[in-house]
Amino acid sequence: MLSAQSVPVVRATLPVVGASLNTITELFYRRLFEERPELLRNLFNRTNQATGAQREALAGSVAAFATLLVERPDERPDTVLSRIAHKHVSLGITADQYPLVGRHLLGAVAEVLGEAVTPEIGAAWEEVYWLMANALIAIEARLYAEAGVESGDVWRRMEIAERHQESADAVSLILRRPDGRPTAPFRPGQYVSVRVELPDGAHQIRQYSLSTAPDHRTWRITVKREDAAEATVPAGEVSSWLHAHAEVGDVLDVSLPSGDLVLPAAETPLFLASAGIGITPMLSMLDHLALTSSPRPVTVVHADRTPGDHIHRAEQADLVTRLADAELHLWYENDAHRSAASNVLAGRATLDHLTPAPDTTAYLCGPLPFMRAVRGELLTKGLHPSAIHYEVFGPDLWR
Ligand SMILES: Cc1cc2nc3c(=O)[nH]c(=O)nc-3n(C[C@H](O)[C@H](O)[C@H](O)COP(=O)(O)OP(=O)(O)OC[C@H]3O[C@@H](n4cnc5c(N)ncnc54)[C@H](O)[C@@H]3O)c2cc1C
Ligand code: HEM
């Protein structure tokens, strides 16, 4: 909790700090990377830096955290922190890196707001930073302990056992331990980080959801290639590299699984809605439910451009038929793919004809407009906001 003397100071300065947060975080990253350029080359996602997405995610999380501290001091802001902590753990972030980040973040607050930052205001915001940092450090320490590893020791060498072209722009890689031992356990819905060395020598890291159940001796990731869109939008760095270079027998740096989009243990109904490449965590959940002969009612909704773009289409249908009480609803945006089958519809996904039970837990993964629309419909149909979970395939600018 924020100290009694800091609460009024943070409350009074939140609007001005909040209004400048994007400038503050931009300056923060500039100063951080001036001092430690290798962090930009080898740890942070440099495309997220170029587009400003990471700046926005950091600013959003600090604003949300500070607001909760002053407006609802009795609430634990775990939901804001859990996703960040899981992402940090999948990158191997350690407690000793927090003072460096804090120094540059608080330095940027002082530089942007200038003389307005009295010693009292500086101290109050330093307290906010360390409350957030210590909460993250504690969650991260627990996650490392649960994985049975030393802090930050998450990187493993994984060999590509198989490579499958799933569609024109999606490839699956089956990963195994080079020593042949079983892969580390994980929970369906979790992801790994993959680190590759790019042609300019930089090491860049991206996350990929594990797309089969934990019960196999191997892991599978499915990577969609991000092509250049226009002259101003270059191709995605890591996905293009993996498509062009990752071959059977190669060894990749892969982190231990992480992520908080995981199935609850209860037996209540599930609603799994995905679009495009967002199918990957849902496949892991479905595979797990099928392997454990789950009796849970499961509604699966998937939207794609065309059946040809719909990766793992046959596998998804097969998993649904293997479940005791599951139904599959598909939408293809392109009207030409209207189908005689009653569960295949043309156009954008809507939940008009579906009635989820009130105790349903929903999982969403896909582009933000898709998830916003589905979430809105689920709320209208009576689901509680806390029962709707989602994964963003990038910095979370939604929360
Ligand atoms: C938890 C999680 C799970 C994920 N699971 C999967 C998965 O299962 N499968 C999967 O394929 N992906 C997944 N992703 C996404 C994945 O991590 C990468 O973001 C994705 O592969 C793109 O990475 P990249 O290096 O190829 O593209 P980047 O270089 O990171 O670029 C990202 C996008 O920005 C565009 N871009 C580049 N430069 C600019 C610029 N200057 N201005 C505007 N746009 C620009 C690129 O064309 C590209 O479309 C997941 C992400 C997260 C966070
Ligand atoms: C209180 C301190 C911190 C806060 C509030 C914070 C916040 C965040 C947020 C909001 C994200 C994006 C999560 C998402 O994907 O949605 C993130 C990612 C990340 N953080 Fe932190 N963080 C902190 C400390 C640190 C430290 C000490 C490091 C180590 C240098 C670090 C390195 C990273 C990296 C590398 C990413 C991934 C960035 C990317 O891939 O674009 N963070 N952090």
Side-chain angles (χ1 to χ4, degrees):
M1 269 175 60
L2 207 51
S3 63
Q5 68 270 26
S6 290
V7 171
V9 181
V10 171
R11 185 174 283 129
T13 51
L14 194 51
V16 54
V17 174
S20 307
L21 261 178
N22 266 324
T23 321
I24 291 168
T25 50
E26 185 179 0
L27 184 65
F28 152 70
Y29 280 119
R30 184 143 38 94
R31 295 275 184 262
L32 177 69
F33 298 141
E34 274 165 11
E35 182 179 330
R36 300 282 302 276
E38 77 282 6
L39 291 180
L40 179 58
R41 275 172 68 76
N42 300 332
L43 177 65
F44 282 82
N45 173 328
R46 59 186 180 182
T47 304
N48 287 344
Q49 290 299 322
T51 60
Q54 175 56 23
R55 193 161 67 227
E56 228 179 289
L58 177 65
S61 73
V62 174
F65 187 83
T67 307
L68 271 179
L69 283 180
V70 294
E71 302 301 339
R72 282 178 273 164
D74 299 331
E75 234 171 78
R76 287 168 53 94
D78 288 5
T79 48
V80 181
L81 299 178
S82 167
R83 179 187 161 95
I84 305 173
H86 278 273
K87 177 68 80 66
H88 282 167
V89 164
S90 90
L91 295 159
I93 303 299
T94 48
D96 60 348
Q97 292 173 303
Y98 280 83
L100 170 79
V101 163
R103 179 160 54 80
H104 285 292
L105 193 55
L106 295 165
V109 172
E111 203 173 325
V112 169
L113 300 183
E115 285 173 7
V117 181
T118 60
E120 193 191 21
I121 294 174
W125 280 92
E126 188 170 8
E127 202 185 325
V128 171
Y129 174 80
W130 278 107
L131 277 173
M132 199 168 182
N134 284 333
L136 284 169
I137 290 167
I139 304 174
E140 289 157 22
R142 180 174 52 74
L143 294 174
Y144 287 127
E146 278 169 12
V149 298
E150 293 288 316
S151 262
D153 178 25
V154 294
W155 291 100
R156 302 287 180 270
R157 305 285 282 161
M158 295 295 284
E159 185 183 334
I160 302 174
E162 292 170 42
R163 174 185 164 127
H164 301 283
Q165 195 71 41
E166 305 291 353
S167 71
D169 62 3
V171 75
S172 286
L173 302 176
I174 310 285
L175 305 171
R176 69 168 168 227
R177 286 176 52 148
D179 61 9
R181 294 176 61 194
T183 45
F186 67 95
R187 297 175 70 188
Q190 289 194 305
Y191 57 83
V192 292
S193 287
V194 175
R195 178 170 59 197
V196 303
E197 185 175 344
L198 295 170
D200 67 351
H203 290 83
Q204 283 284 294
I205 303 172
R206 300 292 184 269
Q207 287 69 43
Y208 295 99
S209 298
L210 293 165
S211 59
T212 50
D215 320 52
H216 304 281
R217 288 182 75 85
T218 52
W219 288 341
R220 183 182 71 184
I221 57 171
T222 307
V223 180
K224 178 173 173 285
R225 191 184 58 235
E226 299 284 339
D227 293 326
E230 315 140 21
T232 51
V233 178
E237 294 210 273
V238 173
S239 63
S240 308
W241 188 93
L242 287 169
H243 273 254
H245 300 288
E247 297 300 343
V248 172
D250 290 352
V251 174
L252 293 173
D253 286 336
V254 182
S255 75
L256 292 177
S258 199
D260 61 349
L261 186 91
V262 291
L263 282 180
E267 290 301 325
T268 45
L270 291 171
F271 187 94
L272 309 180
S274 55
I277 189 66
I279 195 172
T280 49
M282 307 304 173
L283 286 172
S284 178
M285 293 182 182
L286 282 174
D287 192 16
H288 170 73
L289 293 167
L291 282 169
T292 53
S293 306
S294 169
R296 296 176 86 150
V298 187
T299 305
V300 181
V301 167
H302 182 78
D304 233 306
R305 277 172 302 182
T306 68
D309 291 303
H310 181 176
I311 52 163
H312 301 300
R313 184 158 62 111
E315 178 181 324
Q316 184 187 43
D318 176 56
L319 288 170
V320 170
T321 49
R322 281 169 50 202
L323 287 169
D325 185 6
E327 51 186 60
L328 176 64
H329 301 272
L330 301 174
W331 276 266
Y332 296 117
E333 231 178 272
N334 186 332
D335 198 46
H337 298 286
R338 183 181 296 280
S339 160
S342 60
N343 69 331
V344 183
L345 295 167
R348 287 181 176 254
T350 71
L351 310 187
D352 287 349
H353 60 302
L354 299 176
T355 316
D359 57 345
T360 296
T361 309
Y363 292 86
L364 322 180
C365 189
L368 271 190
F370 167 81
M371 294 200 290
R372 272 205 193 97
V374 173
R375 183 171 184 274
E377 288 190 73
L378 288 171
L379 291 174
T380 310
K381 286 174 186 282
L383 258 66
H384 193 266
S386 65
I388 307 176
H389 309 274
Y390 66 92
E391 186 73 272
V392 183
F393 277 3
D396 185 358
L397 305 181
W398 194 14
R399 206 182 299 262

